[in-house]
Amino acid sequence: MTGHHHHHLAGLDLLASAVILLDGDGRIAYANAAAENLLESSLKALSRQKLTALFSNPEELAAICAQALGHTFADTRQDLTLERSGREPLHVHSIISAIDDAAGVILVELRENVQQLKLDREERILDQSQVNKELIRNLAHEIKNPLGGIRGAAQLLEMELPALHLTALREYTQVIIKEADRLQTLVDRLLAPHRRPHIVGDVNIHEVCERVRSLILAEFPSGLSIRRDYDASIPEFRGDKEQLIQTVLNIAHNAAQALSERIAVGDAELVLKTRVARQVTLAKVRYGLALDLHIIDNGPGISPQIRDRIFYPLVSGREGGSGLGLTLAQTFVQQHMGVIECESRPGYTDFRIVLPLP
């Protein structure tokens, strides 16, 4: 299998799955373009390396290759997770077979397992948001107690002030009281979603969307159009209507604020789109039916610097934003066993909420 024999394998470069040929010693004799991509390396660099040497947990892979060589099976199929130092592990479906007319040559086909990658990502997001919630709750409790003390002390101080200095000094005590109240409100908002009981009833998602639509249009009466793109066949489901209104409102409100330049020009558009999705996996549970709700705007998009962190608390893309809107939205959606995702580029931002349907 020397270099000049590879021309008849060129057709393999057209395949989407990674194809690797190993010689009798288990060294890489050939790898197609998809394999170069998957292994993030060129054929030149891979050539003559042992395939098993590329991974830190090669035992399973080595065992399958040995089985294929020993002709224990015509071909061996298995889902593998191949660990690599310093990089994401590879989740692949492998098909490994020995080539009959070439002594010791093994054909290895690897296909990336996209579903597994998606599950891993969702699990990471869930873990992260659990950590976030714990952190916020503890922090908010820590802030709450001294805050009450500060406010109380300022009030007592104000009562003790001698009449003659009253107005000048009252300004100071008023600042303390007002700022303490502002922080108190912030802390209450941080604690709110974990406190309020879930009020469950039958929810019609289009009533939720209509309510949000009228609230947003009341606040932005000109320059913004809100287009409805509803699938009328979506059934009602059990949920907390107020929480869902708050969720959609927080996202739509962020969008409307991001659209300020477009609103000024008069071509700002928000789209509320509902669809039914089938066979969806949410937080590791498989559902036959799910609601697919999109809130789409034609604004400037979310800046790449904060795109990965938009659901974190206190991360905000605009001056004076509390950065709690999306954190609350995510909490409420997760309480409904759903997921929330975002795709954004300049001129197009799509927040997608997926909730299980009965």
PDB file of all heavy atoms in Angstrom, residues 271-303:
ATOM      1  N   VAL A 271     -40.976  38.028  14.701  1.00  0.00           N
ATOM      2  CA  VAL A 271     -41.853  36.941  14.244  1.00  0.00           C
ATOM      3  C   VAL A 271     -42.078  35.978  15.411  1.00  0.00           C
ATOM      4  O   VAL A 271     -41.127  35.550  16.059  1.00  0.00           O
ATOM      5  CB  VAL A 271     -41.218  36.167  13.061  1.00  0.00           C
ATOM      6  CG1 VAL A 271     -42.172  35.076  12.574  1.00  0.00           C
ATOM      7  CG2 VAL A 271     -40.860  37.107  11.931  1.00  0.00           C
ATOM      8  N   LEU A 272     -43.337  35.673  15.682  1.00  0.00           N
ATOM      9  CA  LEU A 272     -43.679  34.638  16.658  1.00  0.00           C
ATOM     10  C   LEU A 272     -44.151  33.429  15.859  1.00  0.00           C
ATOM     11  O   LEU A 272     -45.192  33.482  15.208  1.00  0.00           O
ATOM     12  CB  LEU A 272     -44.789  35.130  17.602  1.00  0.00           C
ATOM     13  CG  LEU A 272     -44.437  36.349  18.464  1.00  0.00           C
ATOM     14  CD1 LEU A 272     -45.661  36.858  19.214  1.00  0.00           C
ATOM     15  CD2 LEU A 272     -43.326  36.019  19.446  1.00  0.00           C
ATOM     16  N   LYS A 273     -43.348  32.368  15.897  1.00  0.00           N
ATOM     17  CA  LYS A 273     -43.649  31.234  15.021  1.00  0.00           C
ATOM     18  C   LYS A 273     -43.805  29.974  15.872  1.00  0.00           C
ATOM     19  O   LYS A 273     -42.968  29.698  16.731  1.00  0.00           O
ATOM     20  CB  LYS A 273     -42.467  31.079  14.048  1.00  0.00           C
ATOM     21  CG  LYS A 273     -42.512  29.862  13.155  1.00  0.00           C
ATOM     22  CD  LYS A 273     -41.368  29.942  12.156  1.00  0.00           C
ATOM     23  CE  LYS A 273     -40.915  28.583  11.714  1.00  0.00           C
ATOM     24  NZ  LYS A 273     -39.720  28.615  10.877  1.00  0.00           N
ATOM     25  N   THR A 274     -44.898  29.232  15.660  1.00  0.00           N
ATOM     26  CA  THR A 274     -45.085  27.981  16.402  1.00  0.00           C
ATOM     27  C   THR A 274     -45.206  26.807  15.432  1.00  0.00           C
ATOM     28  O   THR A 274     -45.826  26.922  14.385  1.00  0.00           O
ATOM     29  CB  THR A 274     -46.367  28.029  17.265  1.00  0.00           C
ATOM     30  OG1 THR A 274     -47.491  28.244  16.414  1.00  0.00           O
ATOM     31  CG2 THR A 274     -46.306  29.139  18.304  1.00  0.00           C
ATOM     32  N   ARG A 275     -44.590  25.703  15.804  1.00  0.00           N
ATOM     33  CA  ARG A 275     -44.661  24.485  15.004  1.00  0.00           C
ATOM     34  C   ARG A 275     -44.721  23.281  15.936  1.00  0.00           C
ATOM     35  O   ARG A 275     -44.420  23.386  17.115  1.00  0.00           O
ATOM     36  CB  ARG A 275     -43.404  24.344  14.114  1.00  0.00           C
ATOM     37  CG  ARG A 275     -43.281  25.387  13.008  1.00  0.00           C
ATOM     38  CD  ARG A 275     -44.330  25.160  11.926  1.00  0.00           C
ATOM     39  NE  ARG A 275     -44.178  26.090  10.810  1.00  0.00           N
ATOM     40  CZ  ARG A 275     -44.780  27.265  10.722  1.00  0.00           C
ATOM     41  NH1 ARG A 275     -45.558  27.694  11.701  1.00  0.00           N
ATOM     42  NH2 ARG A 275     -44.614  28.033   9.657  1.00  0.00           N
ATOM     43  N   VAL A 276     -45.072  22.142  15.358  1.00  0.00           N
ATOM     44  CA  VAL A 276     -45.014  20.890  16.115  1.00  0.00           C
ATOM     45  C   VAL A 276     -43.758  20.151  15.676  1.00  0.00           C
ATOM     46  O   VAL A 276     -43.482  20.042  14.483  1.00  0.00           O
ATOM     47  CB  VAL A 276     -46.257  20.012  15.821  1.00  0.00           C
ATOM     48  CG1 VAL A 276     -46.075  18.628  16.431  1.00  0.00           C
ATOM     49  CG2 VAL A 276     -47.503  20.656  16.399  1.00  0.00           C
ATOM     50  N   ALA A 277     -42.967  19.688  16.649  1.00  0.00           N
ATOM     51  CA  ALA A 277     -41.793  18.876  16.319  1.00  0.00           C
ATOM     52  C   ALA A 277     -42.090  17.446  16.756  1.00  0.00           C
ATOM     53  O   ALA A 277     -42.809  17.235  17.735  1.00  0.00           O
ATOM     54  CB  ALA A 277     -40.577  19.418  17.048  1.00  0.00           C
ATOM     55  N   ARG A 278     -41.549  16.481  16.019  1.00  0.00           N
ATOM     56  CA  ARG A 278     -41.813  15.079  16.368  1.00  0.00           C
ATOM     57  C   ARG A 278     -40.530  14.369  16.815  1.00  0.00           C
ATOM     58  O   ARG A 278     -39.447  14.669  16.308  1.00  0.00           O
ATOM     59  CB  ARG A 278     -42.399  14.339  15.160  1.00  0.00           C
ATOM     60  CG  ARG A 278     -43.713  14.947  14.759  1.00  0.00           C
ATOM     61  CD  ARG A 278     -44.430  14.253  13.615  1.00  0.00           C
ATOM     62  NE  ARG A 278     -45.577  15.077  13.225  1.00  0.00           N
ATOM     63  CZ  ARG A 278     -46.712  15.113  13.887  1.00  0.00           C
ATOM     64  NH1 ARG A 278     -46.863  14.377  14.963  1.00  0.00           N
ATOM     65  NH2 ARG A 278     -47.701  15.899  13.482  1.00  0.00           N
ATOM     66  N   GLN A 279     -40.703  13.424  17.708  1.00  0.00           N
ATOM     67  CA  GLN A 279     -39.563  12.616  18.196  1.00  0.00           C
ATOM     68  C   GLN A 279     -38.393  13.493  18.626  1.00  0.00           C
ATOM     69  O   GLN A 279     -37.363  13.549  17.975  1.00  0.00           O
ATOM     70  CB  GLN A 279     -39.100  11.618  17.109  1.00  0.00           C
ATOM     71  CG  GLN A 279     -40.157  10.628  16.698  1.00  0.00           C
ATOM     72  CD  GLN A 279     -40.730   9.852  17.888  1.00  0.00           C
ATOM     73  OE1 GLN A 279     -40.055   9.627  18.877  1.00  0.00           O
ATOM     74  NE2 GLN A 279     -41.994   9.467  17.813  1.00  0.00           N
ATOM     75  N   VAL A 280     -38.573  14.180  19.724  1.00  0.00           N
ATOM     76  CA  VAL A 280     -37.558  15.106  20.209  1.00  0.00           C
ATOM     77  C   VAL A 280     -37.002  14.587  21.534  1.00  0.00           C
ATOM     78  O   VAL A 280     -37.748  14.071  22.359  1.00  0.00           O
ATOM     79  CB  VAL A 280     -38.203  16.500  20.439  1.00  0.00           C
ATOM     80  CG1 VAL A 280     -37.209  17.454  21.050  1.00  0.00           C
ATOM     81  CG2 VAL A 280     -38.719  17.054  19.122  1.00  0.00           C
ATOM     82  N   THR A 281     -35.673  14.711  21.707  1.00  0.00           N
ATOM     83  CA  THR A 281     -35.067  14.346  22.991  1.00  0.00           C
ATOM     84  C   THR A 281     -34.760  15.623  23.759  1.00  0.00           C
ATOM     85  O   THR A 281     -33.998  16.463  23.289  1.00  0.00           O
ATOM     86  CB  THR A 281     -33.770  13.543  22.775  1.00  0.00           C
ATOM     87  OG1 THR A 281     -34.084  12.411  21.964  1.00  0.00           O
ATOM     88  CG2 THR A 281     -33.199  13.070  24.091  1.00  0.00           C
ATOM     89  N   LEU A 282     -35.385  15.774  24.927  1.00  0.00           N
ATOM     90  CA  LEU A 282     -35.151  16.955  25.760  1.00  0.00           C
ATOM     91  C   LEU A 282     -34.618  16.497  27.105  1.00  0.00           C
ATOM     92  O   LEU A 282     -35.268  15.704  27.784  1.00  0.00           O
ATOM     93  CB  LEU A 282     -36.457  17.731  25.970  1.00  0.00           C
ATOM     94  CG  LEU A 282     -37.164  18.229  24.700  1.00  0.00           C
ATOM     95  CD1 LEU A 282     -38.520  18.827  25.057  1.00  0.00           C
ATOM     96  CD2 LEU A 282     -36.312  19.255  23.981  1.00  0.00           C
ATOM     97  N   ALA A 283     -33.440  16.990  27.458  1.00  0.00           N
ATOM     98  CA  ALA A 283     -32.817  16.613  28.733  1.00  0.00           C
ATOM     99  C   ALA A 283     -32.892  15.093  28.927  1.00  0.00           C
ATOM    100  O   ALA A 283     -33.366  14.590  29.950  1.00  0.00           O
ATOM    101  CB  ALA A 283     -33.474  17.342  29.889  1.00  0.00           C
ATOM    102  N   LYS A 284     -32.462  14.366  27.881  1.00  0.00           N
ATOM    103  CA  LYS A 284     -32.339  12.902  27.927  1.00  0.00           C
ATOM    104  C   LYS A 284     -33.652  12.130  27.907  1.00  0.00           C
ATOM    105  O   LYS A 284     -33.659  10.913  28.046  1.00  0.00           O
ATOM    106  CB  LYS A 284     -31.541  12.461  29.155  1.00  0.00           C
ATOM    107  CG  LYS A 284     -30.082  12.819  29.067  1.00  0.00           C
ATOM    108  CD  LYS A 284     -29.331  12.082  30.131  1.00  0.00           C
ATOM    109  CE  LYS A 284     -27.841  12.211  29.889  1.00  0.00           C
ATOM    110  NZ  LYS A 284     -27.095  11.780  31.049  1.00  0.00           N
ATOM    111  N   VAL A 285     -34.799  12.836  27.815  1.00  0.00           N
ATOM    112  CA  VAL A 285     -36.073  12.121  27.732  1.00  0.00           C
ATOM    113  C   VAL A 285     -36.623  12.282  26.319  1.00  0.00           C
ATOM    114  O   VAL A 285     -36.577  13.370  25.748  1.00  0.00           O
ATOM    115  CB  VAL A 285     -37.096  12.686  28.754  1.00  0.00           C
ATOM    116  CG1 VAL A 285     -38.374  11.857  28.737  1.00  0.00           C
ATOM    117  CG2 VAL A 285     -36.495  12.692  30.152  1.00  0.00           C
ATOM    118  N   ARG A 286     -37.128  11.176  25.774  1.00  0.00           N
ATOM    119  CA  ARG A 286     -37.637  11.194  24.402  1.00  0.00           C
ATOM    120  C   ARG A 286     -39.137  11.493  24.414  1.00  0.00           C
ATOM    121  O   ARG A 286     -39.891  10.871  25.163  1.00  0.00           O
ATOM    122  CB  ARG A 286     -37.405   9.808  23.800  1.00  0.00           C
ATOM    123  CG  ARG A 286     -37.712   9.739  22.322  1.00  0.00           C
ATOM    124  CD  ARG A 286     -36.435   9.827  21.568  1.00  0.00           C
ATOM    125  NE  ARG A 286     -36.650   9.474  20.179  1.00  0.00           N
ATOM    126  CZ  ARG A 286     -36.109  10.158  19.184  1.00  0.00           C
ATOM    127  NH1 ARG A 286     -35.393  11.208  19.441  1.00  0.00           N
ATOM    128  NH2 ARG A 286     -36.308   9.784  17.943  1.00  0.00           N
ATOM    129  N   TYR A 287     -39.567  12.480  23.613  1.00  0.00           N
ATOM    130  CA  TYR A 287     -40.997  12.798  23.520  1.00  0.00           C
ATOM    131  C   TYR A 287     -41.470  12.624  22.074  1.00  0.00           C
ATOM    132  O   TYR A 287     -40.767  13.010  21.145  1.00  0.00           O
ATOM    133  CB  TYR A 287     -41.252  14.248  23.962  1.00  0.00           C
ATOM    134  CG  TYR A 287     -40.915  14.520  25.406  1.00  0.00           C
ATOM    135  CD1 TYR A 287     -39.688  15.070  25.749  1.00  0.00           C
ATOM    136  CD2 TYR A 287     -41.819  14.218  26.418  1.00  0.00           C
ATOM    137  CE1 TYR A 287     -39.363  15.312  27.089  1.00  0.00           C
ATOM    138  CE2 TYR A 287     -41.506  14.454  27.758  1.00  0.00           C
ATOM    139  CZ  TYR A 287     -40.279  15.004  28.077  1.00  0.00           C
ATOM    140  OH  TYR A 287     -39.965  15.240  29.385  1.00  0.00           O
ATOM    141  N   GLY A 288     -42.667  12.067  21.927  1.00  0.00           N
ATOM    142  CA  GLY A 288     -43.212  11.890  20.576  1.00  0.00           C
ATOM    143  C   GLY A 288     -43.560  13.226  19.937  1.00  0.00           C
ATOM    144  O   GLY A 288     -43.366  13.429  18.742  1.00  0.00           O
ATOM    145  N   LEU A 289     -44.075  14.149  20.745  1.00  0.00           N
ATOM    146  CA  LEU A 289     -44.497  15.456  20.228  1.00  0.00           C
ATOM    147  C   LEU A 289     -43.923  16.567  21.089  1.00  0.00           C
ATOM    148  O   LEU A 289     -43.870  16.448  22.313  1.00  0.00           O
ATOM    149  CB  LEU A 289     -46.029  15.590  20.307  1.00  0.00           C
ATOM    150  CG  LEU A 289     -46.889  15.043  19.186  1.00  0.00           C
ATOM    151  CD1 LEU A 289     -48.319  15.529  19.384  1.00  0.00           C
ATOM    152  CD2 LEU A 289     -46.384  15.476  17.819  1.00  0.00           C
ATOM    153  N   ALA A 290     -43.528  17.655  20.436  1.00  0.00           N
ATOM    154  CA  ALA A 290     -43.058  18.820  21.195  1.00  0.00           C
ATOM    155  C   ALA A 290     -43.504  20.090  20.494  1.00  0.00           C
ATOM    156  O   ALA A 290     -43.770  20.103  19.285  1.00  0.00           O
ATOM    157  CB  ALA A 290     -41.546  18.781  21.329  1.00  0.00           C
ATOM    158  N   LEU A 291     -43.616  21.138  21.285  1.00  0.00           N
ATOM    159  CA  LEU A 291     -43.918  22.462  20.738  1.00  0.00           C
ATOM    160  C   LEU A 291     -42.595  23.119  20.384  1.00  0.00           C
ATOM    161  O   LEU A 291     -41.650  23.114  21.164  1.00  0.00           O
ATOM    162  CB  LEU A 291     -44.641  23.305  21.802  1.00  0.00           C
ATOM    163  CG  LEU A 291     -44.562  24.825  21.624  1.00  0.00           C
ATOM    164  CD1 LEU A 291     -45.326  25.272  20.399  1.00  0.00           C
ATOM    165  CD2 LEU A 291     -45.093  25.539  22.850  1.00  0.00           C
ATOM    166  N   ASP A 292     -42.524  23.685  19.203  1.00  0.00           N
ATOM    167  CA  ASP A 292     -41.327  24.360  18.722  1.00  0.00           C
ATOM    168  C   ASP A 292     -41.712  25.833  18.538  1.00  0.00           C
ATOM    169  O   ASP A 292     -42.418  26.172  17.586  1.00  0.00           O
ATOM    170  CB  ASP A 292     -40.960  23.717  17.376  1.00  0.00           C
ATOM    171  CG  ASP A 292     -39.518  23.924  17.018  1.00  0.00           C
ATOM    172  OD1 ASP A 292     -38.835  24.668  17.725  1.00  0.00           O
ATOM    173  OD2 ASP A 292     -39.074  23.340  16.013  1.00  0.00           O
ATOM    174  N   LEU A 293     -41.298  26.679  19.468  1.00  0.00           N
ATOM    175  CA  LEU A 293     -41.680  28.094  19.414  1.00  0.00           C
ATOM    176  C   LEU A 293     -40.450  28.939  19.082  1.00  0.00           C
ATOM    177  O   LEU A 293     -39.408  28.806  19.725  1.00  0.00           O
ATOM    178  CB  LEU A 293     -42.257  28.510  20.783  1.00  0.00           C
ATOM    179  CG  LEU A 293     -42.432  29.999  21.081  1.00  0.00           C
ATOM    180  CD1 LEU A 293     -43.466  30.632  20.162  1.00  0.00           C
ATOM    181  CD2 LEU A 293     -42.848  30.217  22.522  1.00  0.00           C
ATOM    182  N   HIS A 294     -40.581  29.769  18.063  1.00  0.00           N
ATOM    183  CA  HIS A 294     -39.454  30.637  17.680  1.00  0.00           C
ATOM    184  C   HIS A 294     -39.822  32.097  17.874  1.00  0.00           C
ATOM    185  O   HIS A 294     -40.927  32.516  17.517  1.00  0.00           O
ATOM    186  CB  HIS A 294     -39.089  30.438  16.204  1.00  0.00           C
ATOM    187  CG  HIS A 294     -38.590  29.062  15.895  1.00  0.00           C
ATOM    188  ND1 HIS A 294     -37.255  28.762  15.796  1.00  0.00           N
ATOM    189  CD2 HIS A 294     -39.247  27.893  15.689  1.00  0.00           C
ATOM    190  CE1 HIS A 294     -37.109  27.478  15.526  1.00  0.00           C
ATOM    191  NE2 HIS A 294     -38.316  26.926  15.454  1.00  0.00           N
ATOM    192  N   ILE A 295     -38.885  32.859  18.434  1.00  0.00           N
ATOM    193  CA  ILE A 295     -39.049  34.307  18.534  1.00  0.00           C
ATOM    194  C   ILE A 295     -37.891  34.889  17.738  1.00  0.00           C
ATOM    195  O   ILE A 295     -36.725  34.813  18.146  1.00  0.00           O
ATOM    196  CB  ILE A 295     -39.006  34.757  20.015  1.00  0.00           C
ATOM    197  CG1 ILE A 295     -40.123  34.045  20.799  1.00  0.00           C
ATOM    198  CG2 ILE A 295     -39.157  36.272  20.124  1.00  0.00           C
ATOM    199  CD1 ILE A 295     -39.792  33.745  22.224  1.00  0.00           C
ATOM    200  N   ILE A 296     -38.219  35.418  16.564  1.00  0.00           N
ATOM    201  CA  ILE A 296     -37.172  35.813  15.602  1.00  0.00           C
ATOM    202  C   ILE A 296     -37.210  37.324  15.402  1.00  0.00           C
ATOM    203  O   ILE A 296     -38.288  37.908  15.271  1.00  0.00           O
ATOM    204  CB  ILE A 296     -37.415  35.094  14.244  1.00  0.00           C
ATOM    205  CG1 ILE A 296     -37.457  33.581  14.462  1.00  0.00           C
ATOM    206  CG2 ILE A 296     -36.350  35.483  13.226  1.00  0.00           C
ATOM    207  CD1 ILE A 296     -38.007  32.784  13.282  1.00  0.00           C
ATOM    208  N   ASP A 297     -36.019  37.949  15.374  1.00  0.00           N
ATOM    209  CA  ASP A 297     -36.001  39.392  15.086  1.00  0.00           C
ATOM    210  C   ASP A 297     -34.960  39.700  14.018  1.00  0.00           C
ATOM    211  O   ASP A 297     -34.054  38.901  13.772  1.00  0.00           O
ATOM    212  CB  ASP A 297     -35.716  40.197  16.364  1.00  0.00           C
ATOM    213  CG  ASP A 297     -34.278  40.050  16.841  1.00  0.00           C
ATOM    214  OD1 ASP A 297     -33.370  40.567  16.176  1.00  0.00           O
ATOM    215  OD2 ASP A 297     -34.062  39.413  17.898  1.00  0.00           O
ATOM    216  N   ASN A 298     -35.118  40.851  13.366  1.00  0.00           N
ATOM    217  CA  ASN A 298     -34.165  41.224  12.313  1.00  0.00           C
ATOM    218  C   ASN A 298     -33.206  42.324  12.802  1.00  0.00           C
ATOM    219  O   ASN A 298     -32.832  43.219  12.084  1.00  0.00           O
ATOM    220  CB  ASN A 298     -34.905  41.664  11.033  1.00  0.00           C
ATOM    221  CG  ASN A 298     -35.779  42.903  11.269  1.00  0.00           C
ATOM    222  OD1 ASN A 298     -36.004  43.304  12.416  1.00  0.00           O
ATOM    223  ND2 ASN A 298     -36.269  43.508  10.200  1.00  0.00           N
ATOM    224  N   GLY A 299     -32.843  42.227  14.091  1.00  0.00           N
ATOM    225  CA  GLY A 299     -31.934  43.199  14.701  1.00  0.00           C
ATOM    226  C   GLY A 299     -30.479  42.887  14.422  1.00  0.00           C
ATOM    227  O   GLY A 299     -30.155  42.030  13.601  1.00  0.00           O
ATOM    228  N   PRO A 300     -29.587  43.573  15.136  1.00  0.00           N
ATOM    229  CA  PRO A 300     -28.153  43.467  14.835  1.00  0.00           C
ATOM    230  C   PRO A 300     -27.515  42.145  15.234  1.00  0.00           C
ATOM    231  O   PRO A 300     -26.376  41.863  14.898  1.00  0.00           O
ATOM    232  CB  PRO A 300     -27.545  44.598  15.672  1.00  0.00           C
ATOM    233  CG  PRO A 300     -28.515  44.825  16.780  1.00  0.00           C
ATOM    234  CD  PRO A 300     -29.871  44.533  16.218  1.00  0.00           C
ATOM    235  N   GLY A 301     -28.264  41.308  15.988  1.00  0.00           N
ATOM    236  CA  GLY A 301     -27.680  40.035  16.426  1.00  0.00           C
ATOM    237  C   GLY A 301     -26.991  40.207  17.774  1.00  0.00           C
ATOM    238  O   GLY A 301     -26.793  41.326  18.245  1.00  0.00           O
ATOM    239  N   ILE A 302     -26.631  39.088  18.380  1.00  0.00           N
ATOM    240  CA  ILE A 302     -25.994  39.121  19.701  1.00  0.00           C
ATOM    241  C   ILE A 302     -24.490  39.103  19.510  1.00  0.00           C
ATOM    242  O   ILE A 302     -23.970  38.292  18.748  1.00  0.00           O
ATOM    243  CB  ILE A 302     -26.438  37.899  20.528  1.00  0.00           C
ATOM    244  CG1 ILE A 302     -27.949  37.967  20.758  1.00  0.00           C
ATOM    245  CG2 ILE A 302     -25.707  37.835  21.866  1.00  0.00           C
ATOM    246  CD1 ILE A 302     -28.549  36.676  21.228  1.00  0.00           C
ATOM    247  N   SER A 303     -23.794  39.998  20.189  1.00  0.00           N
ATOM    248  CA  SER A 303     -22.349  40.104  19.950  1.00  0.00           C
ATOM    249  C   SER A 303     -21.664  38.800  20.353  1.00  0.00           C
ATOM    250  O   SER A 303     -22.009  38.190  21.371  1.00  0.00           O
ATOM    251  CB  SER A 303     -21.764  41.276  20.732  1.00  0.00           C
ATOM    252  OG  SER A 303     -21.558  40.893  22.076  1.00  0.00           O
TER     253      SER A 303
END
